[in-house]
Every structure is written in structure tokens, then in C-alpha cells.
């Protein structure tokens, strides 16, 4: 009996999910000359949706939709993959070097983009000390890029110290997330 009730419950749940997923999909009006894209499809299917016009795509050397989608996917990954540091340190750990190797590969693949490296700290320490530590962290990443062959003219740095935390709690897990270097792409 319990099994029958459980199977019936699972079937009703599956039907409810199927009905909800059918309602959630919306179609986007198609502009003339543009491929149809649903809201659930690749967000990068059209450069217009990201504020990139055709001349900028050409400048980047990305002529097909596939190249543009690949670029936007990799750019999102590039910006979301931060480099983390130990407490009171600006030494690159092995995990950080692996993240930076992926970023170097991206920068080699797309030589027209530039990067701002942001140095961040947790809330411990004075503002002046954290600004200096954030600068040293950004500089560690900058130096790694340059040593890997990235043209220094494509790189800039800024330290935010403790001013832009991404984790707001006052515990070790939050502090660890805030001890980072974040890279922002410009294209």
C-alpha cells in the first residue's frame, strides 16, 4: 500500500514539473535577420543582447555565432573564477596557478581583450594595510600573466582592500572568500 502511494506521489510530482516547465519557457520575438532564441537557450546567442555591436565582434575577430557564444561562455568563466590567498599573504598557491593558467590560455586565444586585476582582502587589518595587501595580490597575478607571455599593456591593476567584500559574514569562511584577486575583462 505504501509503495502504491509513493508511486502515485512520484507520478503527480513528475506531471506537475512537466506542466511547470512547459509554462516557464517563453519565446522571444524574432527580429528580421536574427536567429530565434528562447530565454532558456544560450544567453550568448546574440551579441546584441550583451551590448556588443557588430563592429566590436569584428574587432575581436569573432565572425560566427558559434565563435561569439564560445567567447562569451569563456569570458564568463574567466571572470567568475577568482584567485584566493592565504591569510596575510600574496603568494600564489598551486590552485591559484591552475586558475591563472586557464586565464592565460583565454588571453592568448583572445588577444584583443584587456584585463583589470582587482586585489581584495578580508576585513581584518587597517584600511591602509589592506589596500597595500590588495595591491600586492593584484601584482602577483599581474606578474604571473606577464611571466606567462601576456603583454603588460593589456593589464591594469587596482586594490580595493577590504572595501568590496563578496561575503559579508564575520567568520573564517567569509574571510577566505574575500582574500582574492578578481579579473575583469574589457572588450
Amino acid at each position: 500500500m505504501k509503495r502504491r502511494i509513493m508511486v502515485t506521489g512520484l507520478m503527480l510530482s513528475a506531471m506537475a514539473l512537466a506542466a511547470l516547465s512547459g509554462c516557464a519557457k517563453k519565446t522571444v520575438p524574432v527580429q528580421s535577420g536574427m536567429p530565434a532564441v528562447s530565454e532558456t537557450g544560450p544567453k550568448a546567442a546574440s551579441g546584441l543582447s550583451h551590448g556588443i555591436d557588430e563592429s566590436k565582434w569584428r574587432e575581436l575577430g569573432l565572425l560566427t555565432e558559434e565563435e561569439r557564444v564560445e567567447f562569451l561562455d569563456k569570458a564568463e568563466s574567466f571572470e567568475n573564477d577568482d584567485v584566493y590567498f592565504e591569510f596575510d599573504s600574496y603568494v600564489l598557491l598551486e590552485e591559484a596557478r591552475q586558475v591563472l593558467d586557464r586565464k592565460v590560455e583565454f588571453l592568448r586565444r583572445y588577444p584583443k581583450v584587456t584585463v583589470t586585476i582587482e586585489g581584495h582582502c578580508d576585513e581584518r587589518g587597517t584600511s591602509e594595510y589592506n589596500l597595500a595587501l590588495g595591491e600586492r595580490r593584484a601584482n602577483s597575478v599581474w606578474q604571473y600573466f606577464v611571466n606567462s607571455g601576456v603583454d603588460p599593456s593589456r593589464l591594469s591593476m587596482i586594490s580595493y582592500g577590504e572595501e568590496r567584500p563578496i561575503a559579508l559574514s564575520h567568520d573564517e569562511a567569509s574571510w577566505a572568500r574575500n582574500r582574492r584577486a578578481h579579473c575583469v575583462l574589457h572588450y
Side-chain angles (χ1 to χ4, degrees):
M1 181 70 172
K2 280 186 178 179
R3 188 175 192 177
R4 176 178 260 169
I5 292 172
M6 198 165 132
V7 170
T8 303
L10 287 174
M11 289 177 60
L12 289 173
S13 297
M15 290 172 48
L17 284 174
L20 287 175
S21 67
C23 293
K25 189 172 183 178
K26 296 178 182 177
T27 57
V28 176
V30 178
Q31 296 176 356
S32 63
M34 298 296 293
V37 178
S38 73
E39 287 183 349
T40 57
K43 66 181 180 181
S46 170
L48 294 175
S49 65
H50 292 273
I52 303 173
D53 62 17
E54 189 60 30
S55 64
K56 180 53 89 174
W57 283 125
R58 290 185 188 284
E59 183 181 323
L60 291 169
L62 303 171
L63 305 179
T64 68
E65 281 299 311
E66 292 79 22
E67 291 174 327
R68 296 169 183 178
V69 168
E70 178 185 359
F71 170 79
L72 291 172
D73 286 344
K74 289 183 176 183
E76 183 179 353
S77 178
F78 183 99
E79 289 189 318
N80 288 331
D81 206 5
D82 286 343
V83 172
Y84 295 96
F85 295 88
E86 295 289 322
F87 174 69
D88 199 26
S89 173
Y90 55 94
V91 174
L92 294 172
L93 302 172
E94 181 56 32
E95 183 178 330
R97 292 174 184 274
Q98 292 172 4
V99 169
L100 291 174
D101 286 342
R102 290 192 295 271
K103 291 183 185 296
V104 166
E105 185 178 315
F106 176 88
L107 294 171
R108 286 181 181 149
R109 170 74 175 87
Y110 302 104
K112 299 287 184 178
V113 300
T114 60
V115 180
T116 298
I117 305 162
E118 301 176 349
H120 298 270
C121 300
D122 63 38
E123 64 188 1
R124 297 173 289 178
T126 65
S127 293
E128 294 80 17
Y129 181 81
N130 285 335
L131 281 172
L133 181 57
E135 183 178 334
R136 288 192 293 270
R137 288 174 176 166
N139 189 49
S140 292
V141 171
W142 184 90
Q143 193 63 54
Y144 193 88
F145 283 157
V146 171
N147 290 344
S148 299
V150 176
D151 185 344
S153 69
R154 297 172 61 196
L155 307 172
S156 61
M157 295 186 301
I158 188 166
S159 174
Y160 289 111
E162 64 191 66
E163 300 303 320
R164 292 188 176 188
I166 57 172
L168 301 177
S169 295
H170 308 286
D171 54 34
E172 182 54 43
S174 297
W175 294 330
R177 289 186 62 211
N178 291 328
R179 295 190 302 260
R180 70 193 194 284
H182 178 75
C183 294
V184 178
L185 289 173
H186 307 283
Y187 47 88

